Amino acid sequence: MSKKLLLKNAHIEGIRYFETYRKHGGYEAAEKALKMTTDEVLEEVKVSGLRGRGGAGFPTGMKWSFLAKPEGVPRHLVVNADESEPGTFKDRYLMEFLPHLLIEGMLISSYCLGSNTSYIYIRGEYSWIPDILEEAIEEAKAAGFLGKNILGTGYDLEIYVQRGAGAYICGEETALLESLEGRRGNPRLKPPFPAVKGLWERPTVVNNVESIAAVVPIIEIGGAEYAKIGIGRSTGTKLISACGNINKPGVYEIDMTITVEEFIYSDEYCGGIPNGKKLKACIPGGSSVPIVPANLLLKTINGEPRYMNYESLADGGFATGTMMGSGGFIVLDEDQCVVNHTMTLARFYNHESCGQCTPCREGTGWMYKILKKIEKGEGKMEDIDLLWDIQRKIEGNTICPLGDAAAWPVAAAIRHFRDEFEWHVNNPELCQTQNYGIANY
Ligand code: NAD
Ligand code: SF4
């Protein structure tokens, strides 16, 4: 049984409200943190080994220590709640059921970073959640945990919730900042990183919802204790949103020592694949990370079990491994068609490209067109090579990671499932009535 840190109280009725949250130990970590110096709080976060839970896995303590502190310039914390990665819905769960965990995490983090005005930028499609967050903010304020002179410490903090307008690209941190400033969400060139020049050109830390919520248990139990949970550089717990062909889709908290096999088949988590079907492949970290076939998903190239953590999932690099990413775990059974699946993703990235850079703007469109052709049984063998060539020209040649995110799924699909692409070319008449999965397993 995995240790629960974030979701340990999620089952309690009314935990969404201040009174119940407080009754179960809520805001005790914030009280503790406000008695510590900001350097002591930072040290706990560093020692914890917490890595960014939005997808990149960048060490949170290191990011915080990069925050520039020029004299007289305000600093900000911005929580990235623009969770839009297909297959990823863990932050929605946290905000909907445990809004005070996020507010408490923001209080501790803002105090540590010296932010007096912090923001939550939330995905527009999560239309009902801003009301929940704003109610929680009001409750925290009424109880003296937000506003002026919090708990008599002299520290002031206001938190504002800003709704996005439905663009995936606004989850990219610099596009998010542009949007928050009231402009079109076009990503900026990095460096400078937001830690130096962020919101209104002020030093800004942008962190994912889950990363900020995790600061609460880190302060509660201490960074060193937190670091003992998990394995290697995959410390603490991680939320995984599981979906696709599994018996129990949902949000699970894991401690990153369990194997992928256990996660898929154990009743504690996904509960196996419906109707006794075989596992074909999985995308373990949200749609941007490479798809992995079942044989490489359950074992690494060295024959070791693959674990649900940053290192093990990436074992073998992009050729054979994948990434932990945002923890959006998508399972495909034997009946699913990888070509159809890849085409759906290509359409998504093409639609969401902001259009600033040519390889992404044009390349995503061409990848979608070619995939559509192949999927319909109208492709030629050379189209597969053309597709490979286009994704190679996008990767690493764009302003923001959306270009890479569009290229990787196509590269991994061709690398691992080229036979399916060839089947579509060789069986044009069957493509009209059935897909590769149903025809071949
Ligand atoms: P990144 O690796 O460029 O940066 C990670 C973080 O570290 C950023 O906040 C960046 O500012 C900071 N950073 C890195 N180097 C720094 C330095 N030298 N100084 C100061 N700060 C530094 O990755 P990213 O663009 O933030 O994120 C990409 C990831 O986002 C992908 O892995 C993808 O899986 C994920 N993603 C998630 C969602 C979602 O819905 N959760 C949506 C889209 C993409
Ligand atoms: Fe825009 Fe795509 Fe370039 Fe990112 S990679 S800046 S989404 S065009």
Side-chain angles (χ1 to χ4, degrees):
M1 167 93 59
S2 267
K3 192 169 176 65
K4 303 267 178 290
L5 294 178
L6 299 174
L7 303 186
K8 66 176 185 210
N9 290 336
H11 62 284
I12 296 171
E13 206 182 324
I15 197 72
R16 183 177 133 179
Y17 300 104
F18 179 84
E19 207 183 312
T20 315
Y21 182 75
R22 183 85 173 123
K23 214 185 316 174
H24 290 86
Y27 289 97
E28 283 174 12
E31 288 174 314
K32 183 175 170 186
L34 289 173
K35 288 184 191 132
M36 295 160 70
T37 66
T38 55
D39 282 348
E40 283 168 346
V41 176
L42 176 60
E43 193 52 28
E44 292 297 336
V45 176
K46 276 188 181 166
V47 167
S48 75
L50 176 67
R51 294 170 66 175
R53 303 299 198 219
F58 193 83
T60 306
M62 191 187 292
K63 192 196 275 195
W64 289 13
S65 64
F66 286 158
L67 186 70
K69 296 183 176 162
E71 194 69 23
V73 180
R75 304 187 280 275
H76 299 289
L77 168 70
V78 175
V79 169
N80 187 345
D82 195 64
E83 181 180 55
S84 315
E85 181 85 339
T88 311
F89 45 90
K90 65 184 180 69
D91 296 338
R92 182 185 76 189
Y93 187 89
L94 269 181
M95 292 186 286
E96 187 169 353
F97 297 103
L98 293 157
H100 280 288
L101 189 66
L102 175 61
I103 306 300
E104 184 177 3
M106 284 183 76
L107 169 55
I108 300 168
S109 310
S110 301
Y111 166 71
C112 175
L113 298 167
S115 165
N116 298 112
T117 316
S118 298
Y119 299 87
I120 304 171
Y121 183 97
I122 184 161
R123 175 179 188 197
E125 290 89 337
Y126 286 173
S127 55
W128 67 103
I129 295 180
D131 290 345
I132 295 173
L133 292 171
E134 277 164 354
E135 190 181 358
I137 289 168
E138 283 313 309
E139 285 184 319
K141 212 168 182 174
F145 285 97
L146 287 179
K148 293 252 173 263
N149 192 20
I150 296 168
L151 304 181
T153 57
Y155 174 63
D156 306 335
L157 175 64
E158 295 293 341
I159 295 178
Y160 298 100
V161 181
Q162 176 62 47
R163 294 153 171 84
Y168 170 74
I169 194 58
C170 288
E172 194 286 326
E173 60 179 359
T174 60
L176 185 157
L177 296 175
E178 285 285 309
S179 173
L180 198 50
E181 290 178 14
R183 284 190 294 279
R184 190 177 195 273
N186 280 354
R188 302 172 183 167
L189 276 169
K190 293 194 280 191
F193 289 95
V196 175
K197 209 170 173 187
L199 190 63
W200 297 298
E201 305 205 343
R202 297 167 177 171
T204 303
V205 162
V206 184
N207 269 142
N208 171 258
V209 170
E210 185 189 344
S211 312
I212 293 297
V215 171
V216 176
I218 288 171
I219 295 300
E220 219 165 68
I221 63 175
E225 281 304 305
Y226 184 90
K228 285 183 194 159
I229 303 162
I231 188 164
R233 290 183 59 233
S234 297
T235 61
T237 62
K238 173 85 189 87
L239 295 186
I240 305 287
S241 56
C243 63
N245 301 121
I246 46 173
N247 283 314
K248 292 169 57 194
V251 176
Y252 298 98
E253 184 169 13
I254 62 158
D255 69 13
M256 296 197 266
T257 58
I258 62 167
T259 64
V260 172
E261 188 163 5
E262 192 183 343
F263 185 68
I264 295 175
Y265 291 102
S266 130
D267 277 342
E268 195 186 339
Y269 305 107
C270 303
I273 298 174
N275 307 315
K277 298 267 182 198
K278 279 196 283 181
L279 174 70
K280 178 175 192 172
C282 177
I283 301 159
S287 66
S288 307
V289 311
I291 188 170
V292 204
N295 60 328
L296 287 171
L297 182 66
L298 303 180
K299 295 217 179 321
T300 66
I301 34 172
N302 299 321
E304 294 287 314
R306 214 179 265 281
Y307 292 94
M308 295 282 291
N309 64 46
Y310 293 94
E311 287 74 30
S312 186
L313 284 172
D315 187 84
F318 282 3
T320 49
T322 179
M323 281 166 81
M324 185 79 171
S326 58
F329 197 90
I330 308 168
V331 178
L332 275 67
D333 75 15
E334 57 188 299
D335 288 348
Q336 305 311 313
C337 172
V338 169
V339 177
N340 177 280
H341 173 83
T342 312
M343 179 195 73
T344 307
L345 291 182
R347 181 174 55 204
F348 171 79
Y349 289 113
N350 178 226
H351 180 71
E352 297 298 339
S353 166
C354 83
Q356 270 195 111
C357 26
T358 312
C360 173
R361 183 187 61 240
E362 302 300 324
T364 54
W366 278 109
M367 288 198 303
Y368 173 47
K369 274 184 207 152
I370 295 167
L371 277 159
K372 196 157 72 167
K373 210 168 120 187
I374 297 174
E375 201 268 343
K376 274 166 62 186
E378 295 167 4
K380 302 191 184 81
M381 278 304 171
E382 52 265 36
D383 287 332
I384 305 172
D385 298 325
L386 181 59
L387 198 54
W388 179 263
D389 202 39
I390 295 171
Q391 67 77 24
R392 286 288 303 270
K393 291 196 165 70
I394 299 175
E395 190 193 356
N397 293 319
T398 58
I399 294 173
C400 89
L402 190 142
D404 296 340
W408 291 340
V410 173
I414 298 177
R415 183 179 291 123
H416 296 303
F417 296 96
R418 195 179 170 102
D419 55 336
E420 294 205 21
F421 288 83
E422 291 179 357
W423 179 87
H424 279 75
V425 172
N426 290 328
N427 296 278
E429 65 300 336
L430 285 180
C431 293
Q432 313 299 326
T433 51
Q434 61 192 55
N435 67 39
Y436 176 90
I438 289 169
N440 287 276
Y441 279 85

